[in-house]
């Protein structure tokens, strides 16, 4: 998988060199390139923003540097046919979920456009959509200062689902948000710690009973903290 990131804070992404993602980069499984949006400006101050038409607070990112940056990544003529998805992280986007991560993990080429200030000129999204699949994606109902932190979170969620990325593929199945349920609670040795006991069923060696207990725990935990994730009760 090829990932291009466009940002005014390229240094921010140096953390990609460490951790699991660093290994995947070295192995060639995932190829990440970070691009400085200001390299596509042509004035002395390397300006990427301007005041909003119609007035209002804050600044809007100018379309021209974005147009040039995206042209340089997509190449001449664009590649709407070649499976490139351009993601613009935005609190105004659709919700990024585990299903979104699974879908994007199958892409050959992802581009992340990190906006700052009050946003990017709307025409950038429209023009990019003539040349690639465009998705505005939000992490949740709160506001970050820019797309960089959201891009890091999305890249981590997506790349760990790329085949060959995780040591034990089973650990991808029995985790929160797979099958629409939260994960069951986990325990390790010692069996008794500070007066707190591991649930006896986990020491029983009865694999069917353990699986049933874990499923029950997932449903109960989901009902308690995230009831909206459960299917609606059937109408009779
Ligand atoms: Cl993707 N971007 C920003 N700026 N804020 C957010 C977000 C994204 N998701 C939640 N809040």
């Amino acid at each position: 998988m090829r990932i291009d990131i466009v940002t005014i804070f390229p240094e921010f992404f140096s953390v990609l060199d460490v951790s699991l993602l660093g290994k995947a980069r070295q192995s060639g499984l995932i190829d990440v390139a970070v691009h400085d949006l200001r390299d596509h400006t042509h004035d002395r101050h390397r300006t990427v923003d301007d005041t909003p038409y119609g007035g209002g607070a804050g600044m809007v990112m100018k379309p021209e540097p974005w147009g040039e940056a995206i042209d340089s990544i997509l190449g001449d003529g664009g590649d709407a046919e070649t499976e490139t998805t351009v993601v613009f992280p935005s609190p105004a986007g659709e919700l990024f979920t585990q299903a979104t991560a699974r879908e994007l993990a199958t892409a050959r080429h992802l581009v992340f456009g990190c906006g700052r200030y009050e946003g990017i000129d709307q025409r950038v999204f429209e023009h990019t959509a003539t040349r690639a699949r465009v998705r505005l994606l939000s992490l949740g109902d709160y506001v970050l200062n820019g797309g960089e932190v959201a891009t890091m979170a999305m890249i981590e969620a997506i790349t760990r689902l790329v085949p060959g990325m995780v040591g034990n593929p089973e650990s991808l199945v029995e985790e929160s948000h797979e099958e629409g349920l939260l994960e069951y609670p986990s325990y390790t040795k010692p069996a008794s710690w500070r007066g707190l006991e591991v649930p006896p069923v986990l020491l029983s060696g009865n694999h069917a009973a353990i699986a049933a207990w874990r499923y029950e725990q997932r449903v109960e935990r989901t009902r308690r903290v995230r009831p909206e994730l459960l299917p609606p009760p059937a109408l009779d």
Side-chain angles (χ1 to χ4, degrees), residues 16-212:
L16 286 175
D17 294 327
V18 297
S19 83
L20 195 64
L21 211 52
K23 278 183 218 142
R25 269 183 102 165
Q26 281 157 29
S27 74
L29 191 60
I30 293 168
D31 173 24
V32 185
V34 182
H35 310 268
D36 189 341
L37 182 68
R38 291 192 200 277
D39 290 346
H40 298 282
T41 58
H42 303 284
D43 64 311
R44 218 156 51 82
H45 298 106
R46 311 186 88 200
T47 310
V48 292
D49 63 327
D50 206 337
T51 54
Y53 274 121
M59 300 289 269
V60 176
M61 293 188 107
K62 296 161 60 62
E64 303 97 316
W66 278 107
E68 269 195 33
I70 287 165
D71 286 350
S72 76
I73 291 166
L74 296 185
D76 296 332
D79 59 354
E81 318 269 295
T82 66
E83 304 158 46
T84 295
T85 295
V86 182
V87 174
F88 291 101
S90 166
E94 22 155 5
L95 197 60
F96 177 88
T97 66
Q98 190 68 15
T100 320
R102 273 193 295 265
E103 187 187 336
L104 294 179
T106 67
R108 271 202 324 104
H109 185 200
L110 296 177
V111 180
F112 288 88
C114 302
R116 281 266 146 181
Y117 312 109
E118 307 306 309
I120 303 174
D121 188 301
Q122 182 66 24
R123 292 166 294 182
V124 171
F125 310 127
E126 288 171 33
H127 190 267
T128 306
T130 66
R131 319 187 56 208
R133 175 124 199 254
V134 169
R135 313 251 331 236
L136 267 66
L137 296 174
S138 168
L139 291 187
D141 295 336
Y142 46 86
V143 178
L144 305 169
N145 281 330
E148 283 79 9
V149 166
T151 291
M152 284 296 312
M154 292 184 207
I155 287 176
E156 188 160 310
I158 293 163
T159 56
R160 64 192 290 282
L161 300 178
V162 171
M165 271 292 290
V166 174
N168 173 15
E170 265 186 31
S171 68
L172 292 178
V173 182
E174 296 192 353
E175 66 184 7
S176 291
H177 300 294
E178 294 298 336
E179 303 165 80
L181 293 172
L182 302 182
E183 196 172 20
Y184 53 76
S186 300
Y187 298 86
T188 186
K189 292 176 278 298
S192 178
W193 177 73
R194 298 192 176 185
L196 301 169
E197 309 301 320
V198 171
V201 63
L202 297 179
L203 311 177
S204 70
N206 181 338
H207 298 295
I210 291 168

